[in-house]
Amino acid sequence: MSDIAQLESELLAAVSSAKDETALEAVRVSALGKSGSVSALLKTLGAMTPDERKAKGPAINGLKDKVGGAIAARKDELAAGALDARLASETVDVTLPVREAPVETGRLHPISQVIDELTAIFADMGFAVAEGPDIETDDYNFTKLNFPEGHPAREMHDTFYFPQKPDGSRLLLRTHTSPVQVRTMLTQKPPIRVIIPGRTYRSDSDQTHTPMFHQVEGLVIDKSSHMGHLKWILEEFCKAFFEVDQVKMRFRPSFFPFTEPSMEVDIQCKRDKGEIRFGEGTDWLEILGCGMVHPNVLRNCGLDPEEYQGFAWGMGIDRIAMLKYGMPDLRPFFEADVRWLSHYGFRPLDFPTLAGGLST
Ligand code: DAH
């Protein structure tokens, strides 16, 4: 076998056994690259006599063409193989069930749902939402709300205090949403009509109390609002919230430093085998505290009690959520257990509205 034929068979064998494009490129460089074996043969043509060139030229050029052609063919073959392999590995099985989208599996916490519900109800009555910080001053949480220094009413609220500052003052975690009444009156000119949902804190823990809980406060200040308006608002709220046509309410005299007179409100209910139903029955359940804003509070917030008056109320959000949705224990609210959430949670796109239904 001639040298050329020998080289040809070696190169063609190398081409056909190249497993991928990198190996094939290595063969191409070794044959047709600058210092490749075929290129070396081509270079010898220049030094030959015309007769020699006539005899050997076609063979060497033929070798170059053959090897080049084989490399191109192998390249196509490898590309087709790679595409087949990719198609095989990325096969889509169209018969598999569709995976649920996040909005189908995610759930809104009942607290978020209830805040959305009560915001929808009070917004319909013309209330705006006001907010304040969880960390408050003693002044806003107690003093401006007419809790006298050292008065036992301060102790009613087992308070979480921060360490004392050099000037003797102490910040605290607000024990109720009422300090936002103060913030609102200090910054807005009446008429004021706000609700204040938010987190509140007290050192307390059992089946129906957690150290962090939620309240919604209401505040109305103008020149003529009175207890009749307060009772009507609370009654309309309870009917809308519990989604019943009728609800009986009982207003009992009570005491809060920041209201005068003060009342606690019970709603009529029926307790039946661990279940509570509203709008029927002969039992009563306490759901909120309320009253006419105390003249001292108005004065502490820069309003003249001879000119302005109004009312306020405060209600536990967790409690009304438990009542409405039949959740017996408060603690799992804050345990972040997805099984609990998928049972008691709400679909995120079913936003509560009065027209479309609050909880459906
Ligand atoms: N702040 C009271 C509490 O946490 C609740 C409350 C009662 C708020 C009467 C009010 C009110 O605005 O008028 O126990």
Side-chain angles (χ1 to χ4, degrees), residues 68-124:
I71 288 173
R74 180 70 185 143
K75 198 168 180 171
D76 288 347
E77 212 174 286
L78 287 172
L83 183 61
D84 285 346
R86 193 168 153 209
L87 285 173
S89 74
E90 293 179 6
T91 304
V92 175
D93 181 352
V94 293
T95 65
L96 285 175
V98 177
R99 191 186 297 146
E100 288 196 319
V103 35
E104 286 305 318
T105 50
R107 286 292 176 268
L108 277 189
H109 196 285
I111 295 294
S112 306
Q113 167 76 16
V114 165
I115 289 177
D116 287 346
E117 289 181 19
L118 52 89
T119 303
I121 296 169
F122 285 115
D124 192 56

Side-chain angles (χ1 to χ4, degrees), residues 157 175-176 178 181 202 215 217-218 256 258-259 289-291 312-314:
H157 287 199
T175 57
H176 49 181
S178 306
Q181 284 191 28
R202 287 181 210 174
Q215 285 190 339
E217 191 91 7
F256 300 104
F258 35 89
T259 43
C290 62
W313 70 91

Side-chain angles (χ1 to χ4, degrees), residues 18-37:
K19 288 212 163 44
D20 54 31
E21 293 199 25
T22 322
L24 185 62
E25 177 62 8
V27 176
R28 189 192 67 76
V29 171
S30 78
L32 305 176
K34 247 191 204 159
S35 32
S37 49

Side-chain angles (χ1 to χ4, degrees), residues 43-265:
K43 276 184 209 147
T44 62
L45 288 174
M48 287 181 190
T49 64
D51 284 347
E52 274 178 325
R53 197 177 302 136
K54 232 184 209 163
K56 291 219 170 158
I60 294 175
N61 277 309
L63 171 65
K64 178 189 154 207
D65 292 345
K66 252 196 188 154
V67 172
I71 288 173
R74 180 70 185 143
K75 198 168 180 171
D76 288 347
E77 212 174 286
L78 287 172
L83 183 61
D84 285 346
R86 193 168 153 209
L87 285 173
S89 74
E90 293 179 6
T91 304
V92 175
D93 181 352
V94 293
T95 65
L96 285 175
V98 177
R99 191 186 297 146
E100 288 196 319
V103 35
E104 286 305 318
T105 50
R107 286 292 176 268
L108 277 189
H109 196 285
I111 295 294
S112 306
Q113 167 76 16
V114 165
I115 289 177
D116 287 346
E117 289 181 19
L118 52 89
T119 303
I121 296 169
F122 285 115
D124 192 56
M125 296 190 215
F127 282 76
V129 173
E131 286 178 313
D134 291 13
I135 297 175
E136 260 302 356
T137 60
D138 191 278
D139 186 40
Y140 284 9
N141 194 80
F142 292 126
T143 311
K144 284 209 168 26
L145 289 168
N146 200 36
F147 286 75
E149 278 310 328
H151 189 278
R154 286 184 190 242
E155 249 92 291
M156 276 170 20
H157 287 199
D158 306 303
T159 311
F160 289 115
Y161 284 102
F162 285 81
Q164 208 161 41
K165 293 203 264 192
D167 67 4
S169 68
R170 293 189 289 185
L171 292 173
L172 48 80
L173 289 175
R174 67 180 179 191
T175 57
H176 49 181
T177 39
S178 306
V180 190
Q181 284 191 28
V182 176
R183 290 177 175 273
T184 306
M185 286 187 270
L186 285 172
T187 53
Q188 292 180 25
K189 235 181 99 55
I192 291 171
R193 208 183 292 158
V194 290
I195 57 160
I196 304 151
R199 293 197 177 94
T200 47
Y201 306 82
R202 287 181 210 174
S203 177
D204 212 350
S205 187
D206 60 33
Q207 193 176 340
T208 52
H209 297 88
T210 49
M212 189 278 288
F213 58 104
H214 300 82
Q215 285 190 339
V216 59
E217 191 91 7
L219 176 69
V220 172
I221 302 287
D222 54 28
K223 295 187 173 172
S224 59
S225 281
H226 54 71
M227 291 231 294
H229 299 141
L230 168 64
K231 290 178 75 173
W232 181 86
I233 286 173
L234 294 175
E235 226 171 85
E236 288 304 304
F237 166 75
C238 285
K239 284 195 289 189
F241 181 74
F242 291 111
E243 300 176 68
V244 291
D245 294 332
Q246 278 311 317
V247 55
K248 270 204 198 125
M249 303 178 79
R250 187 167 73 173
F251 290 73
R252 284 181 287 107
S254 182
F255 172 78
F256 300 104
F258 35 89
T259 43
E260 182 56 39
S262 305
M263 291 160 291
E264 276 175 325
V265 179

